[in-house]
Amino acid sequence: MGPRSRSDGGGPVVRRDVNAVALLTIAAAAVLLAVPAVTTSLAGEMPYQRIHAGYPGADIAIGTTISRSLADAAAIVTVGALAALLFLRDVFAARAQDLGDQFELRVLRMSAAVWSIAAAASVMFELFDANGVRPSELSAGGAAIAAQPGLADLIPSLFEASSLAWTVSFVGSGLVAISSWFVERWTGLLIPLWAACVAVLAPVAVGQILVGPGHDLGSDAGYFQTLAVAVGLGTVLVSAIRLASGRFLPIATLRRRFLICAVALSVVLVTDPVLARFKLQGEGAWESPTAWQVYARGAVTVTLLSLAITAWALWRVGRLTDKGITRIVGAAALAAALWIGITVAMDRIPPRSTSCPRASRRTSWVSTSMPPRRRWSCSRTGARTCCSPVSPWLVSGCTCSRSARCTGVAIAGPPDARSRGWSAGPS
């Protein structure tokens, strides 16, 4: 750190070690993108075979992984910037209403724009990846489409099954990006904050947490963890960006930063065992990639919480200097990037608890050889399998895709049947 060089609306600015900042940025980008990309490459066709979907090719698989990593990271930074603007500003009460020329407002504009672009890319990549369809299958001319019944409806069908959640994310992030250029008072951030929360939760709501044994408890834990991660890791990453730009963290906001990170990471630490028990149903504790990813992410969470406690202890005894907090926040930012990378990699390999039954391609049938309460109604549209149990008491719908995204609702039956719900396969 060198002498002060200038000052702006965000406070005094100092010269940081450019080499250290560049090295940390490259390392964070590497773990964010390389961990899930390498996992996807090594997994190959296995994740698609597990849910009986076609393999869309390495280009689509890795492209989906990278777009998802960028979207998740940008979403977390966006929520962190919103949290900083709402709760972590060091201003007098008379000026608290106006945002002014805050550095976090610039971060919000850039991160929301990146999030929106990455979400738009994910819409297209997920259309192919989640359904196991190669782009070449849709590049045929009109004669080929006319020659294959049902192929003309393939694109709308795939979009409804897999890309709608990312469309919601794209719209929400776009609303945040646009409104960030016109907001002047803190109250103007409330609608962008709501849109950001919806956009963050949309891909999670149709992911792996929705199916399998105990999916109700798993989905609730997943929602709480997603919001806690967005606020906690977002605060860490925005603080790191602020320090890397040469600005200081206002002393008056340090206690609130520690508190936000400690509470958010505690929520992650509590919900992780719930999700682990849910995801490891039917798998050995040490025998599956999902298990190792769960343990690795848990270790990263403990590391982040330890760094937050260390910074808090140093601050309490008055030994937390700018150099010390820069190192701690830098290490925490690298750990946060690793946490996001492991999470994306985990999503690329669906656990066994989310496996779906196989059905023939582009056929529709109802099995009548099984007892009335165990019949299955299955159909195949393109590369997508739809299966639902048909009984006098329960009518449910299940749409299965690469990450075992399933949606369904019990619409008829007595209370005991409705409470049983449904799963992606006969019990």
Side-chain angles (χ1 to χ4, degrees), residues 19-102:
N19 294 330
V21 172
L23 182 61
L24 179 63
T25 303
I26 293 173
V31 297
L32 173 66
L33 300 177
V35 169
V38 171
T39 300
T40 302
S41 179
L42 294 177
E45 301 183 17
M46 182 269 290
Y48 302 88
Q49 293 173 348
R50 177 170 289 187
I51 59 170
H52 311 296
Y55 184 54
D59 52 348
I60 292 295
I62 295 178
T64 303
T65 302
I66 293 177
S67 64
R68 173 67 184 269
S69 299
L70 293 175
D72 284 2
I76 289 175
V77 173
T78 299
V79 175
L82 287 169
L85 289 170
L86 288 171
F87 307 112
L88 300 176
R89 289 187 297 139
D90 182 20
V91 293
F92 294 106
R95 299 177 55 189
Q97 294 288 334
D98 299 324
L99 295 177
D101 185 24
Q102 292 288 323

Side-chain angles (χ1 to χ4, degrees), residues 103-405:
F103 174 76
E104 286 76 10
L105 186 58
R106 307 175 208 172
V107 175
L108 173 64
R109 291 166 179 168
M110 295 181 63
S111 61
V114 174
W115 182 14
S116 183
I117 294 172
S122 295
V123 171
M124 298 305 300
F125 278 114
E126 285 283 338
L127 186 149
F128 299 103
D129 180 81
N131 297 277
V133 178
R134 295 177 182 269
S136 57
E137 295 185 38
L138 303 181
S139 62
I145 294 179
Q148 301 186 47
L151 189 58
D153 299 327
L154 181 59
I155 294 180
S157 171
L158 297 184
F159 178 83
E160 292 174 4
S162 60
S163 296
L164 183 59
W166 280 107
T167 302
V168 173
S169 183
F170 167 68
V171 173
S173 58
L175 176 61
V176 176
I178 294 173
S179 60
S180 64
W181 288 94
F182 300 99
V183 64
E184 295 180 353
R185 301 167 68 88
W186 72 268
T187 51
L189 295 174
L190 297 180
I191 292 180
L193 179 63
W194 169 82
C197 291
V198 173
V200 166
L201 289 175
V204 178
V206 297
Q208 295 175 357
I209 64 171
L210 194 59
V211 293
H215 63 269
D216 292 331
L217 184 59
S219 59
D220 292 341
Y223 298 147
F224 283 117
Q225 184 181 96
T226 299
L227 294 177
V229 165
V231 176
L233 298 191
T235 299
V236 170
L237 292 176
V238 171
S239 299
I241 294 172
R242 182 180 180 89
L243 289 171
S245 69
R247 294 165 178 82
F248 297 100
L249 296 180
I251 297 178
T253 67
L254 289 180
R255 182 177 179 275
R256 280 171 278 171
R257 292 178 194 270
F258 297 147
L259 185 61
I260 288 175
C261 292
V263 172
L265 292 172
S266 298
V267 172
V268 175
L269 210 57
V270 170
T271 55
D272 245 357
V274 178
L275 290 173
R277 182 178 180 275
F278 163 70
K279 289 189 173 185
L280 297 181
Q281 290 282 349
E283 302 194 33
W286 303 96
E287 300 172 359
S288 67
T290 301
W292 286 103
Q293 291 166 342
V294 167
Y295 302 146
R297 197 174 71 169
V300 175
T301 304
V302 172
T303 301
L304 283 165
L305 191 57
S306 301
L307 289 172
I309 294 175
T310 300
W312 170 269
L314 291 175
W315 176 74
R316 290 286 294 176
V317 298
R319 297 176 57 187
L320 186 61
T321 62
D322 176 68
K323 184 177 181 179
I325 197 170
T326 299
R327 291 178 175 177
I328 292 175
V329 172
L334 185 60
L338 180 59
W339 197 98
I340 299 171
I342 294 174
T343 301
V344 176
M346 189 182 301
D347 186 65
R348 300 303 299 167
I349 303 179
R352 295 185 186 277
S353 61
T354 59
S355 297
C356 296
R358 182 188 296 272
S360 59
R361 184 176 180 87
R362 294 192 180 91
T363 60
S364 179
W365 50 272
V366 175
S367 174
T368 57
S369 61
M370 302 179 67
R373 295 182 63 84
R374 292 294 299 268
R375 288 184 299 161
W376 278 86
S377 171
C378 299
S379 63
R380 188 78 172 177
T381 304
R384 180 166 56 99
T385 306
C386 301
C387 305
S388 61
V390 178
S391 74
W393 305 112
L394 182 63
V395 179
S396 302
C398 176
T399 298
C400 305
S401 63
R402 182 203 58 76
S403 59
R405 293 175 173 82

